[in-house]
Amino acid sequence: MNCPRDWPEPIIRVQSLSDSGITAIPDRFVKPASARPSLGSIGSTDTNSIPIIDLGGLNRRDNLETTTLSKVYEACSEWGFFQVVNHGVNPELMDRAREVWREFFHQPMEVKQAYGNSPKTYEGYGSRLGVEKGAVLDWSDYYFLHYLPCSLRDYNKWPALPEPLREVIDEYSKQVVRLGGVLLKALSINLCLKENFLQNAFGGDDIGACLRVNFYPKCPQPDLTFGLSPHSDPGGMTFLLPDQNVPGLQVRKNDGWITVKPAPHAFIVNIGDQIQVLSNAIYKSIEHRVIVNSNHERLSLAYFYNPKSDLLIQPAKELVTPDRPALYSAMTFDEYRLYIRTKGPRGKSQLGESSNLQDDK
Ligand code: OGA
Ligand code: NI
């Protein structure tokens, strides 16, 4: 099964809309009254924050430090979201990666348009997620590219300009993928499984790794829309490099939403649906969303570390017991991902969990 070849409606670049100086957003971006961000009021528990973990203890080879491991366990099972520092990815490279993408989005529209994407693979420059005609859209543009498996890596589908982008993103990808491998080991050990369990379940060296660069232009009416509607990430694990200056990511905690305050040179890591399934829900894939604002654009790099797309993903048999039966049936990531690629972001409905907050229906 595949997504259609084309978008159901002509694509509007959100950045062009924003640059045009409009003071009211078009109807197709206005969320129903019950699904708006309620900025600054109900639901935002800003006093709370997601855990920050120093990964130094994991990078020291052969010494997976137990205190670090237990912090990672708690973060994955209770929060599904955490920040990591001392993670082994070069901080200057992180800054460079953000800079080259900011430059990319600030080029003339013709340059970007040459990479315009289709729903068939989503690779390239895009402005919507989902193919339903008449859907209410999110206030963002993005760029999506593949790094792994190697067979899907096509540098011609990565922007040629700005000139250093391909080289910077190649090195950045290599380092983030290495970090993904380190964390996957920690997550396996914490489930009392062999350290390579999750990596093997993901396909060993044949994992998927892809980058989605999100560009959230200034929005004249940020209280009526989202930069990215509530969703959980369908894949394995996500490494988000957030904007250094502009907050926007909100994470579901109980009945509220926590606005994440990024620590310097940290990655925001979150568990995706495939790891929730493999861990039989010991690890949680948590809903999150992005708010926009009228004074600042925002840029983020979301690196998705995913299972090989045609492997069956199901709860690890070691984690299925009479007391805790398998909560999910087996499915390939290809089949799984089609849902969000067709319908767009829809909370956590795909894992059979409903979003019980009024502002999230
Ligand atoms: C995503 C995502 C958050 C952000 O791309 O899946 O949740 O802060 N991004 O841009
Ligand atoms: Ni996400």
Side-chain angles (χ1 to χ4, degrees), residues 65-174:
E65 218 190 77
T66 44
T67 48
T68 311
L69 281 174
S70 65
K71 284 183 193 155
V72 170
Y73 181 78
E74 191 182 321
C76 296
S77 54
E78 307 209 345
W79 290 84
F81 254 93
F82 50 104
Q83 301 197 55
V84 294
V85 294
N86 221 339
H87 41 59
V89 178
N90 182 322
E92 278 110 55
L93 184 61
M94 297 168 81
D95 293 339
R96 287 292 285 141
R98 257 189 309 240
E99 274 163 30
V100 292
W101 282 110
R102 206 179 285 283
E103 276 178 49
F104 170 78
F105 283 100
H106 283 288
Q107 294 175 111
M109 192 48 78
E110 315 84 75
V111 177
K112 292 174 286 195
Q113 215 59 301
Y115 300 94
N117 74 348
S118 90
K120 190 144 174 58
T121 67
Y122 274 84
E123 284 168 288
Y125 180 50
S127 296
R128 67 183 286 168
L129 188 55
V131 291
E132 291 193 347
K133 202 172 161 96
V136 179
L137 302 180
D138 287 341
W139 191 264
S140 52
D141 299 320
Y142 63 86
Y143 202 100
F144 184 66
L145 58 81
H146 287 289
Y147 179 68
L148 290 177
C150 289
S151 57
L152 287 185
R153 190 187 312 163
D154 179 354
Y155 293 115
N156 291 318
K157 292 186 179 159
W158 300 22
L161 294 172
E163 206 276 316
L165 186 143
R166 289 179 180 164
E167 200 184 323
V168 170
I169 297 313
D170 208 38
E171 180 61 24
Y172 178 79
S173 302
K174 193 166 110 196

Side-chain angles (χ1 to χ4, degrees), residues 41-56:
S41 61
I42 344 162
S44 301
T45 44
D46 273 336
T47 47
N48 229 329
S49 61
I50 62 172
I52 300 192
I53 305 178
D54 183 331
L55 286 188

Side-chain angles (χ1 to χ4, degrees), residues 306-332:
N306 292 333
K308 184 171 186 293
S309 65
D310 57 0
L311 288 181
L312 278 179
I313 299 293
Q314 57 196 318
K317 64 178 189 318
E318 294 84 346
L319 304 177
V320 175
T321 61
D323 289 345
R324 194 182 174 89
L327 293 168
Y328 313 102
S329 44
M331 201 189 269
T332 67

